[in-house]
Amino acid sequence: MTVESPPAVEAHAIDPGPAAADGGVPDEKAAAKARRRREAAARKEILAPVSGALTIAGVVVALASVCSVAPFLLIVSACRELLANSPDTDRVWRLLSLAVLVLVVRAMLQAAALTWSHAVDARYQLSLRRALADKLTRVPLGWFGARSSSEVKKYLQDDVEALHYLVAHARLDFIGSVTVPLVTLVYLATVDWRLTLVLLLPLVIYALCMRAMLDEPGRERLSAYNAAEQRTRVATVEFVDGIQVVRAFGRAGKAHSEFRAAVAAQTERLRRLKMPVMTVQSVSDTVVSPVFVMLLVVVAGLAGVGLDWLEPLDLLPFLLVGLGLGSSLLGLGYGAQALRTAGDAALRLHELQQTAELSTGSGESGTRESPAGLIRFEDVSFGYRADHRVLRGLDLELAPGTMTALVGPSGSGKSTLAKLLPRFYDVDSGRITIGGRDIRDIPSEELYRTVGFVFQDVRLIRGSIADNLRLARPDADAAALERAARAARIHDRILALPRGYDSEIGVDAILSGGEAQRLSIARTLLADTPILVLDEATAFADPESEAAVQDALAELVAGRTVLVIAHRLHTITGVDRILVLEHGTLVEQGDHASLHAAGGLYQQLWEVNAAALETVAGVGVGEGRNADTGAGGLSGTAPRNSADSAPGRAGAASAGIQPVAVDLGREHAGMTSETPGVADEEAKR
């Protein structure tokens, strides 16, 4: 089963505030203030493309808000007229008719503003998703290795959707919530300023409640809930994907326990998130409710009448207009959570937009002093962090048409070195050239037509078998697809599917690990790249198909420049050259015989490998097989005849064991995969 580590909620670096006087502890208030500043800047930049359109909608909402108060003022005037000694009924009807007309205008303005803001939001989400997708084609491929597919989906889907409230509602709700109380208070102040001050009490309490709802601890609770929700998603996918395996071994309860634990944790985080907010929100809703405001007006009004501050008739506008004072604010309270979620999403999307991109290749031919296809690493240094170097001052060459194996202890930098060749990352210093051209000057499309990959973890797109193969070459005809499939030993399996090459992955084409790997090899064969980087191509192959994968790899590596990461050293004895890495430096290089005789690190690794093979061979003998068959069967490299010991065959065998885990990206010839996270990869290195 494919296991993805649950990504934690994005932790954004916040510059610590001034230290506390007693212990140098960062000032939490200053940090929270810094975050709010960054969030405000992110919102401003993210919403810049729609700011003008939303300003127009805001003006319309402001007019609609005035129109929502005006009918009450007209009704107050009508009531005063009716209570006069000699009421003018015609004037009363005119006032009521005008109130109805204003209400109709208000409804039309409100509908126009909301329709306009939602149309702007729909266009903005489409353009933003396109811009983000375009951005992701320019970030280093290693960026995807540090994130799971669910995290990338969150950027493009969830975070963009979360901006809906920010674009379509937040500004309009705020303008309406401010305009209605402001117009109401100005009018009531002309009636009696003292009673107007009393009406400010609910607004002050409501503002304090809103501040408590949007405090920093609440933001932390939201972040914790988001992390728990993401854990549940990952646990669900893992449980569903692996249910057949765990049930086969009678361990369904164990697999289910992680899912239950994730759901329980999410439930607890939801309780912690909602309970404090619910209490505060209940108080805020109560103080601005019409009943509470009416009670306040009646009590204060009776006191005012008793003290001769106002006439009894002056209570009428406060009872008619003042009761609606707080209702316009309720939308802010109910939208507070959506606003905070949208703010976090805006911050994440803004940081994604600021992600450093790979420099665009200039397309310059560069120097042609080197033979075509010669790969050189010239004084290359690289680190995932500025304070930690993974590779240091590497100088090496890969001659055209040769097979080179990378070996070394865990953490020596093998996978990192291989990832630099396809520009998963750019080097910190030095340079890498192909045929004398710096790979940073080679356009991405050309680079991926030159460098191909085969992964241990295959990813197939949703679509037919033919669609997956044509990722390598969209214009390939049926004959070309068949030739590649035959060479990869997968053609017969495809023909056995219900619709052959038109069978859809996951619908009527369910492939085993080895079959999926052979399909990916067919894609790479179709791409026909002169340079290959390989890593553990048979890692997920079933025993029955491992030999077929080895045969397919033998076809793939023939005549190409191959860089292979090797862990089982007995599989690379026939390659042209072996590079031995330790702590990010090249400590030995040569062929198997010379390195074996040198007695250095390679010899130490060889002895460990030989001891492991003896153990495996012993198990094989115990099961009724001879030692050679046992070892060869597990590694997929047992020589079938003398020809198999040739460099190409030995290299193919090693390719089946340890090639380079890299993502071809969406542009590369057919390889669509996820790479392990950087932390996981560093552990493997």
Side-chain angles (χ1 to χ4, degrees):
M1 108 181 50
T2 301
V3 180
E4 295 177 341
S5 337
V9 172
E10 300 251 346
H12 306 295
I14 301 176
D15 292 334
D22 54 351
V25 180
D27 188 345
E28 294 182 1
K29 291 184 178 180
K33 186 176 180 180
R35 179 186 172 86
R36 287 194 294 270
R37 283 199 303 267
R38 293 193 309 115
E39 187 176 304
R43 282 202 304 266
K44 182 178 180 180
E45 188 165 338
I46 282 287
L47 298 181
V50 295
S51 181
L54 294 182
T55 299
I56 296 175
V59 172
V60 175
V61 166
L63 293 175
S65 300
V66 173
C67 291
S68 68
V69 177
F72 292 97
L73 306 185
L74 294 171
I75 292 173
V76 169
S77 297
C79 291
R80 286 181 180 275
E81 184 66 33
L82 287 173
L83 294 174
N85 293 329
S86 54
D88 184 352
T89 55
D90 290 338
R91 182 171 181 270
V92 171
W93 281 111
R94 286 195 300 271
L95 290 172
L96 293 178
S97 299
L98 185 58
V100 172
L101 179 61
V102 172
L103 280 176
V104 172
V105 172
R106 182 259 180 191
M108 294 177 62
L109 290 174
Q110 189 76 13
L114 286 175
T115 302
W116 174 252
S117 67
H118 279 75
V120 168
D121 175 61
R123 290 192 298 269
Y124 175 65
Q125 286 198 25
L126 177 61
S127 63
L128 180 59
R129 283 195 174 98
R130 286 175 173 172
L132 292 175
D134 184 57
K135 171 73 176 183
L136 293 181
T137 65
R138 300 191 302 272
V139 301
L141 291 178
W143 183 89
F144 295 94
R147 291 158 180 84
S148 67
S149 57
S150 61
E151 285 182 275
V152 178
K153 177 259 184 187
K154 183 176 178 63
Y155 284 117
L156 294 176
Q157 182 67 28
D158 300 348
D159 284 348
V160 175
E161 242 177 57
L163 294 180
H164 168 76
Y165 181 79
L166 205 57
V167 176
H169 296 282
R171 183 178 296 192
L172 305 189
D173 288 351
F174 178 77
I175 291 174
S177 298
V178 170
T179 304
V180 170
L182 183 62
V183 172
T184 301
L185 290 173
V186 169
Y187 167 71
L188 293 178
T190 63
V191 178
D192 187 87
W193 64 271
R194 290 161 296 197
L195 196 54
T196 302
L197 289 178
V198 173
L199 279 181
L200 288 177
L201 179 61
L203 302 185
V204 172
I205 297 175
Y206 186 85
L208 294 175
C209 290
M210 284 293 297
R211 181 178 180 181
M213 290 170 63
L214 297 174
D215 62 358
E216 196 62 25
R219 186 182 301 278
E220 293 173 359
R221 291 192 297 269
L222 176 63
S223 297
Y225 172 75
N226 288 338
E229 183 182 37
Q230 181 62 31
R231 178 188 171 190
T232 300
R233 291 177 183 173
V234 173
T236 302
V237 172
E238 180 180 345
F239 177 66
V240 173
D241 286 349
I243 187 63
Q244 293 180 343
V245 175
V246 296
R247 287 186 63 183
F249 288 93
R251 303 300 299 276
K254 179 177 176 59
H256 192 215
S257 63
E258 171 59 24
F259 173 73
R260 287 200 308 267
V263 172
Q266 182 180 354
T267 303
E268 175 61 19
R269 291 296 182 182
L270 180 62
R271 186 190 67 79
R272 294 183 183 181
L273 173 67
K274 291 296 185 181
M275 288 304 294
V277 176
M278 289 172 63
T279 303
V280 176
Q281 188 166 347
S282 298
V283 174
S284 66
D285 290 352
T286 300
V287 297
V288 295
S289 65
V291 174
F292 182 85
V293 175
M294 182 178 65
L295 180 63
L296 192 65
V297 169
V298 170
V299 172
L302 290 176
V305 171
L307 295 173
D308 292 329
W309 286 354
L310 71 163
E311 296 295 327
L313 190 60
D314 290 337
L315 286 178
L316 183 63
F318 286 92
L319 290 173
L320 288 177
V321 183
L323 295 187
L325 187 65
S327 59
S328 61
L329 298 174
L330 291 177
L332 290 181
Y334 290 121
Q337 188 68 37
L339 181 63
R340 185 158 50 190
T341 301
D344 289 341
L347 187 57
R348 285 191 296 269
L349 293 177
H350 179 259
E351 291 182 349
L352 174 58
Q353 291 179 336
Q354 305 307 310
T355 301
E357 302 176 4
L358 287 176
S359 58
T360 304
S362 65
E364 297 177 359
S365 59
T367 62
R368 286 298 181 184
E369 301 172 358
S370 303
L374 176 65
I375 302 171
R376 279 181 176 160
F377 288 70
E378 302 175 3
D379 195 24
V380 167
S381 294
F382 172 78
Y384 294 101
R385 304 188 307 270
D387 60 344
H388 177 66
R389 291 282 182 180
V390 179
L391 300 174
R392 302 173 182 83
L394 287 178
D395 288 289
L396 58 94
E397 290 186 358
L398 306 181
T402 62
M403 182 170 294
T404 303
L406 284 175
V407 303
S410 177
S412 59
K414 301 183 297 297
S415 295
T416 299
L417 186 150
K419 286 181 180 180
L420 295 180
L421 183 56
R423 289 191 75 193
F424 267 53
Y425 307 95
D426 275 339
V427 299
D428 294 334
S429 62
R431 67 172 188 160
I432 303 173
T433 64
I434 299 178
R437 298 173 65 187
D438 193 317
I439 61 173
R440 289 170 292 193
D441 293 329
I442 302 177
S444 297
E445 295 80 1
E446 181 181 348
L447 180 63
Y448 294 133
R449 287 195 302 267
T450 304
V451 182
F453 311 89
V454 174
F455 298 111
Q456 55 176 309
D457 190 8
V458 181
R459 287 290 183 265
L460 303 176
I461 65 168
R462 290 184 181 273
S464 67
I465 297 289
D467 292 336
N468 275 273
L469 290 173
R470 285 197 176 97
L471 286 173
R473 210 174 79 205
D475 59 346
D477 57 20
L481 298 185
E482 181 176 338
R483 284 194 300 272
R486 285 185 181 277
R489 311 298 193 269
I490 193 64
H491 173 70
D492 293 339
R493 176 69 179 96
I494 295 174
L495 291 184
L497 296 172
R499 290 184 289 155
Y501 282 83
D502 292 326
S503 300
E504 188 174 348
I505 300 291
V507 179
D508 50 3
I510 308 298
L511 304 179
S512 69
E515 290 166 349
Q517 189 62 271
R518 279 181 278 159
L519 187 63
S520 74
I521 291 172
R523 288 190 300 196
T524 309
L525 281 167
L526 201 60
D528 196 26
T529 57
I531 299 172
L532 285 174
V533 185
L534 308 174
D535 185 10
E536 246 182 321
T538 62
F540 298 119
D542 47 281
E544 290 78 8
S545 63
E546 185 172 0
V549 173
Q550 298 288 3
D551 290 338
L553 286 169
E555 293 279 352
L556 180 62
V557 302
R560 291 177 169 84
T561 305
V562 181
L563 178 63
V564 57
I565 296 180
H567 287 245
R568 291 183 276 185
L569 303 190
H570 64 283
T571 65
I572 58 168
T573 56
V575 301
D576 299 287
R577 192 157 58 117
I578 300 171
L579 305 176
V580 185
L581 297 181
E582 184 177 28
H583 302 306
T585 59
L586 183 61
V587 295
E588 292 181 295
Q589 58 179 310
D591 58 19
H592 169 72
S594 62
L595 292 175
H596 190 279
L601 177 60
Y602 179 81
Q603 175 60 22
Q604 298 174 24
L605 296 173
W606 177 265
E607 291 174 357
V608 173
N609 180 80
L613 283 180
E614 289 177 4
T615 302
V616 172
V619 173
V621 171
E623 293 180 355
R625 299 171 294 179
N626 61 51
D628 292 338
T629 304
L634 286 173
S635 67
T637 60
R640 300 178 183 179
N641 51 49
S642 59
D644 287 345
S645 63
R649 183 62 181 175
S654 68
I657 296 178
Q658 297 289 357
V660 172
V662 281
D663 189 344
L664 292 177
R666 286 93 185 131
E667 300 172 313
H668 178 40
M671 301 304 296
T672 55
S673 180
E674 260 185 277
T675 59
V678 170
D680 295 338
E681 197 60 36
E682 287 200 69
K684 290 171 63 179
R685 285 190 299 271

